[in-house]
C-alpha cells in the first residue's frame, strides 16, 4: 500500500469513527448522563418535589408564578412530570437511583394531597404556612378549624389528573420496593381516585374545581346543550369554578385518567366514569348550525362566561380535544355512538376557517363570527381591539392541531378499530431519537449533571432531554 493510500485509509477510518460516535453515542455514556441528571435534580428538590424553573444560582424559583424554597408545583412541568421522567429512566436502566427519586416525588405529592382528594397548583412545606391548607395527611390531628382551610382540588390544566396518573405509573413500576414504602402512595391514589369520581357530576361532567362537597342530582338534570336566547354579552363576574368545564381540555384529561385507572386496575367503576364523561360530551355538542363545543357550561347546559376574556362561545381548539377523546372512547369500548358527533363538527370546521387550516379560538354564539376577549369583560370582533397583553397571553387564532386531528380520525375510519390500536402500539414501540440529537444533549450537559440555558434551568427542557436519552436507550 502506498503512503498516500495509507493516509487516505486512516482519514476514512477516523471519519467513520467520528460519524459513528455522533450518530450512536455509547449506551454507558447515556446511562451515566441520565444518572447525573437525576442526581442533580434530587440535590435541588424540595421534599422530593419540583418547580418549573430555577435560576442558575437557585436564588430565584418559579412555578406558574414566583415560588419559594419551601414550595413545589403540580401542573406540568412540575413534580408529576419530573417523577415520570425518573420512572422512564429507571425502566430503561434499572438503576435504583431513578426509582428512589420517583419515590421521593410520589411522597411529596402524598404530603400535598388535599382533604377534597386532589391537589392545588402548589404544595407548601413551610411548617408555619402548612396549617393554612387542608392537607389530608394532617386530617387526623387537625384542629377544629380544619374545614376553614384551603381545600380546593383543581382539575384545570391537567393538575390533579397528572398527579394521579403519575402515582398509578409509579405503583406499577415500583413492585420491587418494600410494601411499607408503597403503602402511603397506594392510599393516596385510592383516596384520590375515589374523590375524583365523587367530583363527577350526575350528568358526567367534571368541574374546574372541587371543594369536596357532594353534588345534588336535582340541580344537575340530564339534558342536551342549548344556547340561551338572552345570553350575556358582558362579563357578569360569575363564579365559574363549578361549571361543567372543557376549557384547557379539563373534561378530556379527566376521562383519560379514568381510562388509565381502568386499564391498570381492571376496576369497571373507572370505565363507567369515563363512559359517562363521554356521554356528557355527546350531550354538550351545541345544536346546528354550530355543532361544536363550548369552553364551559352552566347547570342549564348552556355556554357561559368564565374569566373576563372567556365569553360564552363556540370553541374550535377545545372541540378538537373533544374529538380525540370521543375517538379514544370508541377505541377503548368499540361503541360507535362516540363517533356520531364528529362528522357534523368537521363540517362546521370546514365552513368556519379564517384561512387554510387556521381558525379562531372562539366564535360568537348564533352569528359564528370570530370573537376575542380582554380584561374589560367585553366581546371584541378584531384582534386590534384588544390589549397587547391579551394578544400575547392567549392563543386567539391557529391550527390548534385540527388538521392532525382530522387526519387521525380519517385514518381510524379507514383502518378500523383493531388496526388503529395495533398501529398506535407499533408507533410507540418504534419511536427513536437520532444519535446526533442525543450527542448534542450529552455535550450540553454540565459536569454537575444539569442543563442550563441562558434563562436558567427550565424543567420542561430538562425533562425533554431526559426523555430523549431514555428513548434512545429503549431498544
Amino acid at each position: 500500500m502506498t503512503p498516500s493510500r495509507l493516509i487516505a485509509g486512516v482519514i476514512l477510518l477516523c471519519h467513520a469513527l467520528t460519524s459513528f460516535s455522533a450518530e450512536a453515542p455509547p449506551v454507558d455514556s447515556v446511562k451515566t448522563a441520565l444518572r447525573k441528571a437525576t442526581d442533580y435534580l434530587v440535590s435541588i428538590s424540595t421534599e422530593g418535589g419540583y418547580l418549573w424553573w430555577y435560576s442558575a444560582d437557585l436564588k430565584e424559583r418559579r412555578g406558574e408564578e414566583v415560588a419559594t424554597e419551601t414550595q413545589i408545583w403540580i401542573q406540568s412541568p412540575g413534580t408529576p412530570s419530573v417523577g415520570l421522567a425518573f420512572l422512564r429512566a429507571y425502566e430503561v436502566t434499572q438503576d435504583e437511583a431513578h426509582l428512589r427519586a420517583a419515590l421521593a416525588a410520589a411522597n411529596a405529592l402524598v404530603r400535598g394531597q388535599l382533604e377534597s382528594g386532589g391537589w392545588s397548583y402548589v404544595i407548601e412545606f413551610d411548617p408555619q404556612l402548612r396549617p393554612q391548607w387542608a392537607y389530608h395527611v394532617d386530617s387526623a390531628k387537625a384542629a377544629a378549624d380544619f374545614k376553614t382551610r384551603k381545600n380546593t382540588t383543581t382539575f384545570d390544566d391537567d393538575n390533579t389528573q397528572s398527579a394521579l396518573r403519575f402515582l398509578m405509573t409509579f405503583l406499577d413500576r415500583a413492585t420491587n420496593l418494600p410494601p411499607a414504602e408503597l403503602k402511603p402512595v397506594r392510599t393516596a391514589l385510592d383516596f384520590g381516585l375515589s374523590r375524583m369520581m365523587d367530583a363527577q357530576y350526575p350528568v358526567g361532567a367534571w368541574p374546574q374545581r372541587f371543594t369536596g362537597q357532594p353534588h345534588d342530582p336535582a340541580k344537575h338534570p340530564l339534558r342536551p346543550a342549548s344556547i340561551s336566547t338572552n345570553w350575556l354579552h358582558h362579563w357578569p363576574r360569575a363564579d365559574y369554578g363549578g361549571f361543567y368545564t372543557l376549557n384547557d381540555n379539563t373534561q378530556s384529561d379527566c376521562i383519560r385518567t379514568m381510562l388509565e385507572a381502568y386499564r391498570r386496575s381492571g376496576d369497571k367503576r373507572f370505565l363507567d366514569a369515563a363512559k359517562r364523561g363521554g356521554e356528557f360530551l355527546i350531550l354538550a355538542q351545541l345544536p346546528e348550525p354550530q355543532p361544536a363545543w363550548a369552553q364551559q357550561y352552566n347547570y342549564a347546559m348552556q355556554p357561559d362566561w368564565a374569566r373576563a376574556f372567556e365569553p360564552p362561545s363556540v370553541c374550535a381548539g377545545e372541540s378538537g380535544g373533544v374529538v380525540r377523546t370521543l375517538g379514544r372512547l370508541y377505541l377503548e369500548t368499540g361503541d360507535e355512538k362516540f363517533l356520531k358527533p364528529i362528522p357534523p363538527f368537521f363540517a362546521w370546521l370546514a365552513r368556519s376557517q379564517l384561512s387554510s387550516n387556521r381558525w379562531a379560538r372562539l366564535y360568537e354564539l348564533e352569528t359564528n363570527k370570530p370573537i376575542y376577549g380582554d380584561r374589560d369583560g367585553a366581546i371584541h370582533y378584531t384582534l386590534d381591539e384588544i390589549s397587547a397583553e391579551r394578544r400575547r397571553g392567549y392563543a386567539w387564532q391557529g391550527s390548534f392541531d385540527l388538521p392532525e386531528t382530522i387526519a387521525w380520525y380519517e385514518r381510524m375510519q379507514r383502518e378500523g378499530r383493531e388496526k388503529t390500536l395495533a398501529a398506535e402500539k407499533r408507533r410507540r414501540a418504534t419511536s427513536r431519537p437520532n444519535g446526533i440529537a442525543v450527542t448534542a444533549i450529552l455535550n450540553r450537559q454540565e459536569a454537575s449533571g444539569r442543563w442550563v440555558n441562558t434563562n436558567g434551568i427550565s424543567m420542561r427542557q430538562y425533562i425533554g432531554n431526559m426523555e430523549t436519552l431514555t428513548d434512545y436507550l429503549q431498544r
Side-chain angles (χ1 to χ4, degrees), residues 364-376:
E364 188 172 44
L365 300 173
E366 301 176 300
T367 70
N368 211 48
K369 295 177 181 177
I371 56 175
Y372 309 93
D374 209 333
R375 297 192 185 278
D376 60 0

Side-chain angles (χ1 to χ4, degrees), residues 279-455:
E279 288 158 2
F280 165 78
L281 291 176
I282 295 172
L283 284 173
Q285 186 173 32
L286 295 170
E288 291 284 2
Q290 293 178 299
W293 287 265
Q295 286 185 312
Q296 57 277 321
Y297 299 75
N298 59 32
Y299 303 146
M301 279 292 277
Q302 295 174 334
D304 211 329
W305 283 87
R307 291 174 290 187
F309 49 88
E310 292 172 326
S313 57
V314 181
C315 187
E318 270 76 4
S319 293
V322 170
V323 168
R324 291 274 188 170
T325 299
L326 291 173
R328 183 57 50 197
L329 282 164
Y330 161 70
L331 292 174
E332 190 73 40
T333 66
D335 193 335
E336 295 192 358
K337 73 181 179 184
F338 293 115
L339 300 182
K340 289 182 180 179
I342 298 176
F345 167 65
F346 284 169
W348 174 82
L349 276 183
R351 60 180 181 263
S352 301
Q353 291 185 89
L354 302 178
S355 58
S356 179
N357 290 335
R358 188 171 183 82
W359 290 266
R361 179 168 186 162
L362 305 180
Y363 290 81
E364 188 172 44
L365 300 173
E366 301 176 300
T367 70
N368 211 48
K369 295 177 181 177
I371 56 175
Y372 309 93
D374 209 333
R375 297 192 185 278
D376 60 0
I379 292 174
H380 300 272
Y381 292 93
T382 68
L383 278 170
D384 291 339
E385 296 176 39
I386 67 176
S387 65
E389 181 266 335
R390 277 298 82 196
R391 283 200 298 272
R392 292 191 306 269
Y394 213 64
W396 292 110
Q397 295 181 3
S399 70
F400 304 113
D401 291 326
L402 289 166
E404 292 82 0
T405 298
I406 294 169
W408 175 78
Y409 172 79
E410 291 176 343
R411 186 169 60 249
M412 180 172 62
Q413 290 290 89
R414 287 194 309 271
E415 296 178 354
R417 179 172 172 243
E418 296 302 326
K419 285 186 177 179
T420 298
L421 288 169
E424 288 185 352
K425 188 175 181 179
R426 284 196 304 273
R427 278 193 290 271
R428 287 194 298 270
T430 57
S431 176
R432 295 284 185 273
N434 65 54
I436 295 174
V438 172
T439 298
I441 289 172
L442 298 182
N443 290 339
R444 290 198 304 271
Q445 188 178 37
E446 294 184 353
S448 64
R450 69 182 188 173
W451 290 280
V452 180
N453 59 33
T454 54
N455 296 318

